[in-house]
Amino acid sequence: MARVFPEGRLAYGMQLPVQSQSTIYAEPWEASAGAADLAEVARAADRAGFGYLATCDHVAIPRRLAGPMGTVWYDPVATLAFLAGVTERVRLLSHVAIVGLRHPLATAKQYATLDHLSRGRLVLGVGAGHVREEFEALGADFEGRGPVLDETLDALRAALGPEEFPEFEGERFSFRDLGQSPRPAQARIPVWVGGSSPAAVRRAAVRGDGWLPQGDPRERIPAQLARIRELREAAGVEGPFEVGAITEPLYVGEPGWDTGRRTLTGKAEALAESLREYRALGVDQIQVRFRSRDRAELVAQITAFGAEVAPLLND
């Protein structure tokens, strides 16, 4: 079991624009953006030393949720595979894959191939999902999605392991004598569990290599981390464990336009001082999101963060 990022240092990554366009966070310019914009943003983040690029996962959005959620949700495997071809170092994170919608062997085939083609850059972020109609349309178990996810994670540990013919026997899934190649480039795919409910925190602690909170404010993080330590100790789980956090929206410099009251703005030193608080809380990696009015401004923000703010995060 290995860490994704060096211990004791605060790493930084970002959820990509364009690929998911909920009205909660998407910028207006994303509506008319596409592959070229995604590629340019990804290359900028790669150059700026970002630890990962992340994409979301929804198969279909019901009409009742199409207002706030939108219907633009790129497929995570296709999107990350595309971006693997235009980047060199940055990790590729599914944040989060709703793996309970699919059979573990199908998921393993997709993500093993992605890891193989990207030469070992995958981080598999997983979550339980929340859209009932999506599960029902795909014949997946919505009410039982928690236990299904638990077993799916156990099955994926086998299916994404080193064996060409993996074996697993569970209540819902079982497989043996079925070969899958190519195998992942990594000996062990890092699995980070998303969500902030008690069940999600327990799942992350016991079955995950890391935790991806769902928008927990800073003041909630210490109690959540204490609970994770308690659960891991009770379960006898040892080894590295990486904790994430989603920061407030950021803007490097003085924007000169209304970026919203929650947005952290200002000089690099002030932003870094604020973000270093996450490290003091026990966070290993922060997911940042920049306010922007077009692709050029976003690329400039990414570049400025990498050059001016990132070097100060670990002072």
Side-chain angles (χ1 to χ4, degrees):
M1 189 185 304
R3 295 178 60 91
V4 176
F5 300 117
E7 188 171 6
R9 294 184 64 80
L10 187 62
Y12 56 98
M14 67 177 290
Q15 185 81 234
L16 284 160
V18 182
Q19 52 83 33
S20 68
Q21 295 187 30
S22 166
T23 57
I24 296 171
Y25 51 74
E27 302 284 10
W29 68 267
E30 296 177 46
S32 59
D37 303 281
L38 268 173
E40 187 59 32
V41 169
R43 282 191 287 255
D46 199 26
R47 291 192 300 266
F50 278 61
Y52 64 77
L53 301 170
T55 63
C56 302
D57 181 22
H58 279 291
V59 173
I61 307 300
R63 286 188 186 275
R64 69 178 179 88
L65 295 174
M69 290 184 67
T71 59
V72 178
W73 296 84
Y74 286 33
D75 178 79
V77 178
T79 306
L80 292 174
F82 166 65
L83 296 174
V86 299
T87 57
E88 296 178 4
R89 295 171 298 277
V90 68
R91 286 279 194 152
L92 308 166
L93 169 66
S94 58
H95 187 180
V96 288
I98 308 172
V99 293
L101 292 174
R102 307 164 179 92
H103 192 284
L105 282 181
T107 297
K109 169 57 71 175
Q110 291 178 301
Y111 284 100
T113 303
L114 173 57
D115 193 63
H116 176 81
L117 291 174
S118 66
R119 300 182 300 280
R121 289 195 275 153
L122 171 67
V123 181
L124 180 59
V126 302
H130 65 94
V131 180
R132 175 184 294 275
E133 293 93 330
E134 190 173 35
F135 277 73
E136 291 174 348
L138 296 172
D141 182 359
F142 180 76
E143 294 296 342
R145 65 193 185 281
V148 168
L149 177 53
D150 288 341
E151 185 171 317
T152 297
L153 288 176
D154 294 342
L156 284 172
R157 284 293 187 203
L160 289 171
E163 299 298 325
E164 179 183 358
F165 291 86
E167 295 187 7
F168 179 78
E169 190 69 42
E171 291 183 23
R172 301 164 183 82
F173 309 112
S174 63
F175 45 84
R176 64 173 61 243
D177 300 325
L178 293 168
Q180 284 195 326
S181 293
R183 304 308 302 153
Q186 297 178 86
R188 179 185 172 100
I189 298 292
V191 176
W192 292 352
V193 178
S196 295
S197 68
V201 170
R202 182 173 59 253
R203 186 173 296 116
V206 175
R207 285 184 162 83
D209 303 309
W211 176 51
L212 296 164
Q214 189 61 44
D216 286 63
R218 299 186 191 203
E219 59 269 19
R220 282 196 63 194
I221 291 175
Q224 295 279 51
L225 296 191
R227 178 61 176 154
I228 286 174
R229 287 191 293 269
E230 177 183 293
L231 289 164
R232 286 172 67 81
E233 184 175 340
V237 180
E238 299 179 348
F241 188 83
E242 292 177 80
V243 174
I246 300 174
T247 73
E248 301 83 354
L250 303 178
Y251 194 94
V252 184
E254 299 302 332
W257 57 284
D258 184 10
T259 55
R261 63 180 180 83
R262 290 187 61 248
T263 303
L264 299 178
T265 67
K267 295 181 178 179
E269 293 83 357
L271 292 180
E273 182 180 7
S274 178
L275 296 175
R276 282 196 298 267
E277 293 179 9
Y278 283 102
R279 190 181 67 183
L281 294 174
V283 170
D284 299 290
Q285 60 87 5
I286 51 173
Q287 183 172 124
V288 297
R289 191 175 189 101
F290 304 99
R291 295 300 318 275
S292 62
R293 292 166 292 180
D294 54 32
R295 184 185 83 185
E297 187 168 33
L298 178 55
V299 168
Q301 282 290 300
I302 290 168
T303 303
F305 186 89
E308 302 169 23
V309 182
L312 305 178
L313 290 179
N314 294 290
D315 284 0

